Each structure stands twice: as structure tokens, then as C-alpha cells.
Amino acid sequence: MGKDKLRKFTEIGSFSNVYQLEEGLANKGKWAEKHFGNEKPVVLELACGKGEYAVNMAKAFPDINFIGVDYKGNRIWRGAKTALEEQVDNVAFLRIQIEELLEYFAKGEVSEIWITFPDPQPQLSREKKRLTSDRFLEKYKVVLEEGGRMHLKTDNDGLYAYTVEKLTERGETIVASTDDLYHSALLNDTLRIKTYYEKKYLVVGKNINYLSWRFR
Ligand SMILES: C[S@@+](CC[C@H](N)C(=O)[O-])C[C@H]1O[C@@H](n2cnc3c(N)ncnc32)[C@H](O)[C@@H]1O
């Protein structure tokens, strides 16, 4: 690990808005109460990286609690540091593998989930690693409250097509979809929030896909 990565990794250990691995276990079923000290809804940003969605949505929606989830501590550092510096108290970060989601969130604890620019894992042999494969969808379905919304933003046309097909095959309800968000009537202030990776794709003229659904 490089010096800067190591420094950030060490520093997040002292951040009051970051939970690493087992530290987060005690909050299962009680994130709103135990971390945020309220009973407001909890929204997740999965594969949050630097947490642009979690932090910017927290600023825009003070009556919602946001939690960014990623396993890379040096990326989470950015969002957590910004939130501390700007006193955005309704956002926290959890450094875990998303595979472990059910260990950290209780059934129906989450009102909405955003997945922002996940690694597309294009090789068929890695399908299980895709964050919209069946094994992940089953976990989201458990932690989401009834009727809770899912959102996916991706530059990857293959992952977008795969997810549309998967949801259709499963009989889930697609609420909104576009393969060109920035030229779509769906665009709103929330969807205009840009992540670190998204900005890179936009600079080279890549179309951005957006998909939203509810589970049956
Ligand atoms: C391409 S980056 C996108 C980061 C950010 N959302 C953005 O758009 O800038 C994908 C992120 O997903 C995280 N990630 C991938 N698989 C994961 C998993 N199984 N559990 C937790 N994080 C994961 C990686 O650490 C990485 O930060």
C-alpha cells in the first residue's frame, strides 16, 4: 500500500462517521437510532467509492440518513472527510464487502438503495461478482422495506443490458430506464449528481445508463 493510501486508511480509524467491518455489526437494525440518533429513513449508496451520492444527497435531503458502503478505505476517506469538514451529519460510511450486507442491515431496515458505477465484471465466469446478479438482488430484497426503490447508474452498456434482462426474467418492476441519462427527460437534480468515475466517462463522451426498479 502506498504512503498516501496507508495514511488515509489509518485516519479513517478515528473518524466518527466511519464503521469498519465488525464495528458496524452492533448497528444492525438500529442504524437510524444508534448512529444518527433519530428514526428517519436509511438510504444506501453501494460501491460508493468516494461517496459523492451519499454526501450530496445528504446535503439535499436533511431528513434522510445516508450510508455509503465500499470496501476500499482510502476511497471512503474522501467522502467521510468532506462530511466531517462540512458538518454533514446525516451521512455515514461502512467499510465492508457488499456480500456481507445481511450481517449489517436488518430485514426492511433500508428505504432505498443506489448502486453507483459498480465494476461491470464482464467475464461470464465473474457473473456472481456483478452487483446486480441474483445473489446480490436477493440480499437487497431482504434489507429493503416493502416497495423500496433501487437505482443503478452505470457507464457500462453490457451491465445495464444484463440488469434489465435479469430484472425482466425475475418479474421485477422496472420504474425508469434510459441508456442516455443526460439526454433523457428523467434527468433531475439527484440524477445530475456526478461521481468520480462518472465525470471521467462524461469527459470522453460516454453515455450514462440509469435504471430504477422495485422488487415484487
Ligand atoms: C468503479 S468504482 C465506482 C466508485 C464510485 N461509485 C464512483 O462512481 O466513483 C467501484 C467501487 O466498488 C467497490 N466495490 C466493488 N465490489 C465491491 C464489493 N463486493 N463490496 C464492496 N465494495 C465493492 C470498489 O471498491 C470501488 O470503490
Side-chain angles (χ1 to χ4, degrees):
M1 198 186 289
K3 259 190 186 168
D4 192 47
K5 259 192 187 174
L6 188 62
R7 178 182 62 80
K8 290 175 177 167
F9 201 78
T10 311
E11 210 178 313
I12 58 167
S14 66
F15 284 2
S16 57
N17 58 357
V18 176
Y19 294 81
Q20 304 203 62
L21 309 172
E22 308 85 59
E23 287 172 3
L25 289 172
N27 285 356
K28 180 175 178 177
K30 306 176 195 130
W31 280 94
E33 178 198 331
K34 288 192 80 162
H35 178 76
F36 297 101
N38 59 42
E39 292 181 353
K40 295 172 182 174
V42 172
V43 169
L44 305 183
E45 181 190 3
L46 302 181
C48 71
K50 300 183 183 199
E52 285 86 357
Y53 258 83
V55 171
N56 286 297
M57 287 199 292
K59 289 181 185 172
F61 303 102
D63 284 333
I64 298 177
N65 302 315
F66 292 89
I67 303 175
V69 181
D70 200 293
Y71 62 70
K72 292 203 172 146
N74 62 312
R75 292 197 179 160
I76 277 182
W77 176 90
R78 180 62 273 165
K81 180 96 173 162
T82 301
L84 290 172
E85 285 173 352
E86 299 184 18
Q87 297 178 342
V88 188
D89 296 332
N90 59 326
V91 60
F93 290 88
L94 176 62
R95 190 178 76 74
I96 58 162
Q97 294 276 355
I98 294 160
E99 283 82 343
E100 309 299 324
L101 206 64
L102 299 185
E103 309 298 320
Y104 293 85
F105 296 92
K107 188 172 181 331
E109 183 172 7
V110 171
S111 64
E112 204 167 289
I113 296 179
W114 288 76
I115 311 172
T116 53
F117 299 88
D119 299 314
Q121 310 286 5
Q123 308 93 315
L124 196 57
S125 60
R126 293 181 69 85
E127 187 195 343
K128 272 174 64 180
K129 297 256 173 205
R130 294 178 197 157
L131 291 186
T132 53
S133 63
D134 282 316
R135 74 174 182 138
F136 283 100
L137 294 177
E138 286 305 318
K139 295 180 200 294
Y140 308 152
K141 198 172 164 178
V142 173
V143 301
L144 264 186
E145 67 184 26
E146 196 143 340
R149 280 274 289 265
M150 292 289 312
H151 305 266
L152 170 73
K153 260 180 121 176
T154 179
D155 60 294
N156 192 277
D157 301 334
L159 183 71
Y160 172 70
Y162 166 84
T163 309
V164 171
E165 198 179 313
K166 170 73 46 201
L167 296 174
T168 306
E169 172 193 305
R170 290 171 54 104
E172 314 295 2
T173 308
I174 294 180
V175 179
S177 63
T178 173
D179 60 7
D180 194 359
L181 177 63
Y182 289 94
H183 295 101
S184 152
L186 292 172
L187 197 60
N188 60 25
D189 285 348
T190 302
L191 289 171
R192 252 186 218 106
I193 295 172
K194 292 172 187 64
T195 74
Y196 173 76
Y197 275 87
E198 184 172 4
K199 283 178 195 157
K200 290 188 173 196
Y201 299 129
L202 287 169
V203 163
V204 295
K206 183 72 191 69
N207 61 303
I208 301 297
N209 303 281
Y210 167 69
L211 184 59
S212 177
W213 69 96
R214 289 183 211 282
F215 290 107
R216 276 183 293 137

